[in-house]
Amino acid sequence: MSAARDPAIAGLEVYRVGGAVRDARLGWPTVDTDWVVVGATPEEMRRRGFRPVGRDFPVFLHPFNHEEYALARTERKSGHGYTGFEVHASPDVTLEEDLARRDLTINAMAETPEGELIDPYGGLQDLAERVLRHVSPAFVEDPLRVLRTARFLARYAGLGFIIADETWALMRELTESGELSHLVAERVWTETEKALGEPEPAVYFRTLHACGALTVLMPELIGSGAELDEALQRMTRLPDVLPEAERLRWRWARLVEHLDEADQRTLSERLRLPRSYRELGWQAALTRQLAESDTPVADTVKAWLDGVDAWRRAERVAPLIALLALETPALAIRLERAWREVSRLEARELLAEGFRGGALGEELARRRRAVLQREMERH
């Protein structure tokens, strides 16, 4: 609906901004549309039926379509990290001033509701030249921009995008300044999880490593250079059977599967990973250890099944065997057969035979081991 036909914004100076402007010109799918309002006050927005939702600066939801409308604002550095800013929003702030606070030129374009482009910082040319370039030297005021730039490169690297040399210099400057250490874990993980869903997630981690940020934020991943390269190569090599909704978790699991338990725990706590990511990362590590054992025997396989909690969470086993099949298909075939047979054993059968209490658990473990030994010795 145009501004003339939309009573909520009729008479307001509004502009479409951000990703919707950028991606429409790239032919990239757009999901959300954000707007900036110039010359208005919070009181006027509320009178028009907009619902305020911004905690740190004035953002409102449209009364009908629920798109976000933010009042034009400027920001001034006042402390460390992502939140160390003083925000100034008033009817005096111009569109150009609002766009100037943004990170990259390709994100600092706007257009009217009728589609007229406003591009004061050369974003359209940088889109055409496939360059990620900072808008102003104020780039260094927000350490999160290092991660955001890396994430945008992970998204658009397949289109031939690169990071401008002068922007690389500012990313390294931010890393060396110590500002990255002031980022809260939730913001680091939010950007990282988004990057896992980009077309080339390995580019995100390579970019952070190249500017020194990975050493600050996720040093456990680095190890030797060869270890990191191998981890980045395998993180997108996933079994076809995995649901699309699970791929982010599995990409992370493949990235960290070479880490021992202590390093995984340290990394998980620093990033405050969701439990599902922590657990899958360790399950992938246990599966990797199984694959690297000389000749997996009954005790080794049973320890793996115990470690991934297979007896209570049987749904975990098939995807892990599929993961194993990527590296050691022969072992995966034997393991799948062994799991199929051993999973047929049920405690209720032993109850019917009179086993109770500790004796029941011991007998069930003995029989499981016997089945595993028989199946793993088959050729």
Side-chain angles (χ1 to χ4, degrees), residues 152-326:
F152 278 116
L153 190 61
R155 178 180 301 178
Y156 298 131
L159 298 180
F161 272 77
I162 62 170
I163 297 174
D165 289 343
E166 58 270 30
T167 304
W168 265 116
L170 293 184
M171 291 169 68
R172 293 190 183 97
E173 180 182 330
L174 258 171
T175 300
E176 293 166 2
S177 73
E179 276 288 308
L180 288 177
S181 63
H182 294 286
L183 283 173
V184 297
E186 289 80 4
R187 296 302 305 179
V188 175
W189 176 244
T190 294
E191 288 299 319
T192 300
E193 188 175 32
K194 288 178 180 178
L196 292 171
E198 300 293 3
E200 298 189 40
V203 169
Y204 172 79
F205 296 95
R206 288 195 178 100
T207 302
L208 294 183
H209 187 40
C211 71
L214 203 63
T215 302
V216 178
L217 301 172
M218 309 175 209
E220 294 79 10
L221 292 180
I222 296 175
S224 68
E227 285 179 322
L228 179 60
D229 285 343
E230 290 171 4
L232 294 175
Q233 289 172 21
R234 67 173 175 258
M235 70 180 296
T236 53
R237 199 163 67 243
L238 302 177
D240 293 334
V241 298
L242 295 179
E244 190 64 32
E246 295 290 310
R247 291 189 174 267
L248 270 62
R249 289 198 309 126
W250 281 91
R251 283 178 172 180
W252 177 259
R254 296 238 67 190
L255 180 65
V256 302
E257 68 178 44
H258 65 290
L259 302 181
D260 61 28
E261 187 172 10
D263 280 346
Q264 283 216 23
R265 185 184 304 112
T266 301
L267 182 59
S268 296
E269 290 175 355
R270 184 186 306 108
L271 297 180
R272 298 185 185 176
L273 290 188
R275 181 176 178 180
S276 61
Y277 280 85
R278 296 182 187 220
E279 291 181 346
L280 188 58
W282 185 236
Q283 292 163 34
L286 291 174
T287 304
R288 181 182 181 86
Q289 293 169 17
L290 178 68
E292 292 177 345
S293 58
D294 293 334
T295 306
V297 294
D299 288 334
T300 311
V301 174
K302 185 175 180 300
W304 174 71
L305 291 169
D306 291 341
V308 302
D309 200 15
W311 315 113
R312 294 187 303 170
R313 303 289 301 275
E315 73 279 2
R316 291 178 172 178
V317 178
L320 291 170
I321 292 177
L323 185 67
L324 198 65
L326 296 175

Side-chain angles (χ1 to χ4, degrees), residues 117-148:
L117 183 68
I118 296 92
D119 181 22
Y121 303 105
L124 189 62
Q125 180 176 343
D126 283 341
L127 275 184
E129 295 179 357
R130 301 301 196 246
V131 175
L132 300 178
R133 190 191 316 277
H134 61 283
V135 174
S136 76
F139 182 94
V140 298
E141 295 180 352
D142 184 357
L144 191 66
R145 289 173 172 175
V146 172
L147 282 72
R148 281 177 53 83

